[in-house]
Amino acid sequence: MGRIEWAMWANEQALASGLILVTGGVVAVAAQFKGWPFAAYAIAAGVFVCLLEYPRGKRKKGSTMERCGQKYLTAVVKVFGPITRNYYVRAILHAALAVPAGFLLSTILGTACLGIASAIYLLAAIRGEEWNPIEQKPQERPQVGGGTIKQPPAMPPPRPPADTRKKPPAEVAGQENPIPVTIEAE
Amino acid sequence: HQAQSISKWASLKVLLRAAWLGLNVFLFVYYFLLFDRDKKFYYTRVLLGSALAWARASAKCLNFNSMLILLPVCRNLLSFLRGTCLCCRRTMRKQLDRNLTFHKLVAYAIALFTAVHIIAHLCNFEWYNDSQQAADGSLSSILSNLHQDEESNKWLNPIHTNSTVSTPAYVTFTTIPGLTGVIITLALILMVTSSMEFIRRSYFEVFWYTHHLFIIYFAGLVIHGIAGLVRGQTAESLNKHNPEHCAQDPRYWGGNNTDSHCEEPEFGSIPAELGGTYSCFADVPFLQAVVHPSKVLELQMHKKGFSMEVGQYIFINCPSVSHLEWHPFTLTSAPEEDFFSVHIRAAGDWTENLIDTFQQQKPKTPRIEVDGPFGTASEDVFQYEVAMLVGAGIGVTPFASVLKSIWYKFQHADQRLKTKKIYFYWLCRDTGAFTWFNDLLASLEQEMEESGKTGFLNYRLFLTVWDNSVVGQAAFNFDNDTDVVTGLKQKTAFGRPMWSNEFSAVATAHPRSVVGVFLCGPQALAKSLQKCCHQYSSLDPRKVKFYFNKENF
């Protein structure tokens, strides 16, 4: 489990908690349960958490799948700099947000889930992870003819002298795939 | 050809998905209507509204889908638990892929129904609490106050105290269904978030280890449904109190008012699974209880859907004697009879208490619960042309059933009965405790005479414990037709039978038959009978052969 990035799972968990908080809050406010102001708070907190957690951070290794339409929120979250980049801050923030919702039964599930997310973020922070925004890749230069026309090389490729033209011994094979390759067997 | 089989498989998948969806819809609608319309839950609905039906209907769908979710991954479940799947990785994975889609579909359904269920129960708890706190004399507050102080279990509102500590959250965490509900929901949420495609593909171990929480999910789910917090009106109470009429005027409940015949309503748990009690534990309505001499109690019972074979036994429980004890008794009635009976001898404190309870003849017959029948049926007894049945002491009980059954089959010329002659040996110390069996033999004797088949059953009674006075009596009454001890036509013999004589007599009388020897008694007797069987069986296959059967009873 050495390569795991806990922040990714914490992110999923926190997003789910946000949704649960909102749902619980809506039910309590709509049916006017006792103590519904807590539920109103839970709705606000849930929405905030969802917005904060929606943009997925960039993985250290490999490419990250973006969530649909997350680039707008990424721009906003990026603005806050170290506050949103550091996971300690997120852990404490989520823990603090979770507490008031624990006073009402409808939102207590949201509290528990957000609490778990906060714990996982703490673990991520301890292991030195950080939130980095997913940047858009720079646009490639549009090629003439759609890239099918290639100019022939002007110079021959440099060749080493004949006696050094030996096969190197088989080393550690190849490269690490930048994009994870999965075999789709069918 | 391959395209054809692919499309056939695809259409089968569609069919299965449609069937699954249809079942879900049916279950939800059926149970929703049940809880929304049934008179049993009239008062529950006064407190909870339609949230009761939403909660219960979604619970049924949750049960259904939870059962189903393990099925697609069943074959891989063992290897999952073991942690590795070394062999057949590729073929396993192909199969797995197909099943996984269904597994995910069922998981989404579980998530959806969980959400519905939780929201409905949130409303339930809140409204139970509101009714409890209200002091405005409304129907809800009256219902909530019913039966709260008594020891009896007849209350409707599970929230009992009126203090401020009692909030829905408090009730949730201090009751079994509430606490288990929270735990399994958390387990479910963790399982779902760690199985998101992104996490699964990138960090498989998180998904793998977290998914083992399913064990907690299933354990908690089983416990969750057990305590019946949501209750309905008991059937007894429905007879005395019809909610549709009586709900209008709660002030007159239980009063001496002759206009309205409304007793106070009483409530009980409705078990989570079925609409009623489990059939094997259902109350057994009686026909008769007969007390025989020497403290033997015969219970004749009748239960719907009960079917037995000869030689089987049932477990009996009598809550008024002891709530927890279940005792086995061999059935003494024949399958052909329309009731089933057991004969219970006083042999310990439970049986003595039971017999006392019945002897006192209270106005209300004590309730009995029955579980069974168990035991391997012994059909072999009917397969032999000649049968030698040996019952020693209490071991005579299954033979009551056998003899009666054989007699019924014989009378109705049942084709399954191959028996033409029965030799029955009854060994006991004294007939005191078996007077009832005595009577059975007497009645069989009489019936045989009436139908002119006196030769069918040949029985011998051996009293293994005797003294001089008994022998004196026997000698004195030697010329009488009936036996002085038993009153039967056959004379009682004293001491133990000499098996060699018996076997040679049977062998001589039936030189070409196959004789089945059945014993219900002590091991020593089994050994000597087995020896005799070997000794008197002829080597010639056309001649007499004795087969010994002991294990059936």
Side-chain angles (χ1 to χ4, degrees):
Chain A
M1 283 226 259
R3 283 179 15 228
I4 196 163
E5 288 184 50
W6 294 99
M8 294 295 137
W9 183 27
N11 172 268
E12 299 282 343
Q13 182 70 16
L15 192 60
S17 322
L19 290 169
I20 294 172
L21 274 173
V22 170
T23 315
V26 163
V27 167
V29 168
Q32 290 285 301
F33 288 169
K34 279 207 189 68
W36 64 267
F38 285 111
Y41 159 81
I43 298 177
V47 167
F48 172 71
V49 167
C50 282
L51 289 174
L52 175 62
E53 297 291 340
Y54 190 74
R56 206 177 255 147
K58 192 160 148 58
R59 285 172 65 188
K60 277 206 198 102
K61 288 191 183 159
S63 75
T64 320
M65 261 169 35
E66 279 195 349
R67 289 204 180 100
C68 173
Q70 80 168 42
K71 57 182 191 250
Y72 308 107
L73 280 169
T74 312
V76 175
V77 175
K78 211 168 53 168
V79 162
F80 288 90
I83 301 179
T84 45
R85 201 170 49 228
N86 189 313
Y87 283 142
Y88 279 111
V89 173
R90 278 207 204 195
I92 298 172
L93 178 68
H94 286 323
L97 284 174
V99 167
F103 289 99
L104 191 61
L105 180 64
S106 325
T107 49
I108 212 168
L109 194 62
T111 302
C113 293
L114 197 55
I116 294 176
S118 157
I120 308 176
Y121 264 130
L122 190 63
L123 182 58
I126 291 174
R127 302 191 77 244
E129 295 173 26
E130 275 195 338
W131 186 85
N132 292 309
I134 301 176
E135 305 290 350
Q136 293 294 327
K137 285 202 187 70
Q139 285 288 337
E140 311 237 324
R141 244 176 334 120
Q143 290 186 342
V144 176
T148 50
I149 301 171
K150 286 188 168 54
Q151 296 292 333
M155 300 279 293
R159 287 194 179 86
D163 51 358
T164 58
R165 223 179 294 158
K166 282 196 181 89
K167 252 193 179 169
E171 287 170 76
V172 177
Q175 45 173 12
E176 189 157 321
N177 286 331
I179 300 169
V181 176
T182 53
I183 304 170
E184 294 289 338
E186 192 42 59
Chain B
H1 171 72
Q2 199 162 11
Q4 263 185 347
S5 69
I6 287 176
S7 70
K8 217 168 50 174
W9 173 250
S11 55
L12 180 65
K13 245 182 8 185
V14 169
L15 201 62
L16 283 175
R17 300 277 163 88
W20 170 80
L21 191 63
L23 262 172
N24 270 308
V25 170
F26 167 73
L27 275 175
F28 192 87
V29 171
Y30 175 78
Y31 279 103
F32 187 88
L33 291 175
L34 179 80
F35 282 93
D36 213 34
R37 303 271 164 88
D38 201 318
K39 225 164 44 167
K40 259 201 302 245
F41 300 105
Y42 186 93
Y43 285 126
T44 326
R45 285 197 294 275
V46 166
L47 292 187
L48 301 179
S50 65
L52 168 73
W54 282 99
R56 281 307 194 151
S58 55
K60 297 297 177 206
C61 291
L62 273 175
N63 282 340
F64 170 62
N65 282 301
S66 297
M67 283 194 310
L68 217 49
I69 197 162
L70 282 181
L71 224 54
V73 291
C74 222
R75 254 203 309 179
N76 319 115
L77 196 61
L78 273 168
S79 59
F80 185 85
L81 289 172
R82 263 185 275 131
T84 51
C85 176
L86 287 174
C87 63
C88 321
R89 259 213 183 100
R90 220 191 72 195
T91 45
M92 259 312 195
R93 215 152 39 113
K94 261 203 237 176
Q95 186 62 30
L96 197 54
D97 282 342
R98 262 181 271 170
N99 297 341
L100 273 182
T101 334
F102 186 59
H103 180 84
K104 282 189 256 192
L105 188 61
V106 178
Y108 284 131
I110 288 184
L112 173 68
F113 284 122
T114 306
V116 172
H117 185 77
I118 293 180
I119 293 176
H121 271 316
L122 283 176
C123 298
N124 284 344
F125 274 14
E126 184 72 22
W127 291 333
Y128 267 147
N129 201 30
D130 283 347
S131 315
Q132 184 62 45
Q133 306 272 356
D136 54 2
S138 63
L139 182 58
S140 341
S141 70
I142 294 179
L143 283 171
S144 306
N145 284 322
L146 281 179
H147 306 291
Q148 292 290 341
D149 315 317
E150 306 157 18
E151 289 293 312
S152 74
N153 224 7
K154 305 195 188 119
W155 39 263
L156 175 62
N157 191 330
I159 301 184
H160 292 311
T161 61
N162 211 351
S163 65
T164 49
V165 178
S166 159
T167 59
Y170 179 79
V171 177
T172 306
F173 286 100
T174 50
T175 52
I176 293 180
L179 193 57
T180 48
V182 173
I183 292 176
I184 63 181
T185 312
L186 279 178
L188 182 69
I189 292 175
L190 283 174
M191 277 197 277
V192 166
T193 55
S194 61
S195 358
M196 290 282 114
E197 179 139 5
F198 177 62
I199 304 282
R200 221 170 58 233
R201 291 199 190 277
S202 316
Y203 313 107
F204 190 73
E205 292 94 346
V206 173
F207 156 70
W208 181 268
Y209 288 111
T210 318
H211 233 64
H212 281 80
L213 283 171
F214 81 92
I215 300 172
I216 297 186
Y217 175 77
F218 278 103
L221 189 64
V222 168
I223 303 175
H224 184 72
I226 288 184
L229 268 195
V230 176
R231 301 165 135 242
Q233 202 169 348
T234 57
E236 270 185 57
S237 173
L238 274 173
N239 286 336
K240 300 182 250 180
H241 177 122
N242 187 345
E244 279 156 25
H245 296 148
C246 302
Q248 288 147 12
D249 240 344
R251 293 166 293 160
Y252 292 122
W253 287 353
N256 294 326
N257 196 324
T258 48
D259 283 341
S260 72
H261 302 275
C262 293
E263 301 289 323
E264 273 198 341
E266 296 173 353
F267 303 93
S269 324
I270 311 295
E273 277 309 297
L274 305 171
T277 49
Y278 289 96
S279 60
C280 64
F281 295 121
D283 286 11
V284 181
F286 269 105
L287 285 183
Q288 268 193 55
V290 182
V291 180
H292 293 278
S294 303
K295 288 200 121 184
V296 171
L297 174 69
E298 177 183 352
L299 294 174
Q300 293 178 352
M301 298 167 273
H302 185 75
K303 193 174 108 173
K304 251 197 300 190
F306 185 88
S307 75
M308 59 167 280
E309 307 284 337
V310 292
Q312 291 193 306
Y313 59 94
I314 53 174
F315 278 89
I316 292 187
N317 169 280
C318 184
S320 52
V321 172
S322 163
H323 277 282
L324 294 176
E325 290 182 43
W326 289 81
H327 292 269
F329 293 97
T330 315
L331 288 162
T332 48
S333 58
E336 286 85 359
E337 293 172 319
D338 54 5
F339 59 90
F340 62 96
S341 68
V342 292
H343 283 75
I344 301 175
R345 214 168 43 119
D349 53 355
W350 187 84
T351 36
E352 298 221 6
N353 287 337
L354 186 73
I355 294 174
D356 279 337
T357 317
F358 277 96
Q359 266 185 329
Q360 279 163 29
Q361 286 178 329
K362 291 201 187 103
K364 203 174 155 199
T365 42
R367 220 183 76 189
I368 289 269
E369 289 183 1
V370 159
D371 191 11
F374 301 108
T376 46
S378 173
E379 297 285 306
D380 296 350
V381 133
F382 308 127
Q383 300 301 321
Y384 293 93
E385 258 188 75
V386 179
M388 285 173 72
L389 309 175
V390 182
I394 189 70
V396 83
T397 329
F399 287 114
S401 174
V402 172
L403 286 177
K404 279 198 238 183
S405 183
I406 288 187
W407 180 244
Y408 277 116
K409 287 187 163 63
F410 191 68
Q411 279 203 305
H412 298 120
D414 193 328
Q415 294 306 318
R416 287 170 294 167
L417 182 69
K418 299 207 175 50
T419 318
K420 303 271 185 302
K421 183 98 183 152
I422 301 181
Y423 294 93
F424 181 62
Y425 300 92
W426 182 12
L427 286 66
C428 59
R429 288 172 198 247
D430 67 278
T431 54
F434 300 104
T435 326
W436 63 272
F437 195 75
N438 222 2
D439 298 337
L440 168 64
L441 285 182
S443 67
L444 278 183
E445 204 176 42
Q446 198 183 16
E447 286 183 35
M448 283 196 299
E449 263 193 39
E450 283 167 12
S451 49
K453 296 189 172 71
T454 27
F456 181 64
L457 173 64
N458 179 320
Y459 56 88
R460 305 280 304 283
L461 165 62
F462 291 86
L463 289 182
T464 50
V465 172
W466 49 273
D467 58 15
N468 282 327
S469 64
V470 178
V471 174
Q473 281 272 322
F476 192 67
N477 292 304
F478 190 70
D479 292 323
N480 285 1
D481 255 352
T482 57
D483 185 78
V484 61
V485 178
T486 56
L488 295 170
K489 287 257 160 69
Q490 299 266 8
K491 297 293 173 126
T492 310
F494 295 94
R496 295 209 172 83
M498 292 179 65
W499 292 115
S500 38
N501 288 355
E502 303 294 333
F503 272 81
S504 60
V506 172
T508 325
H510 306 272
R512 268 179 251 286
S513 313
V514 176
V515 184
V517 180
F518 293 84
L519 168 72
C520 186
Q523 189 61 26
L525 192 50
K527 283 208 185 96
S528 50
L529 283 178
Q530 183 122 34
K531 219 167 60 165
C532 285
C533 283
H534 286 147
Q535 212 175 340
Y536 287 91
S537 285
S538 164
L539 285 172
D540 189 341
R542 291 169 302 166
K543 300 229 178 107
V544 68
K545 274 215 155 352
F546 290 91
Y547 287 106
F548 181 63
N549 300 274
K550 188 198 180 219
E551 55 277 359
N552 288 324
F553 302 114

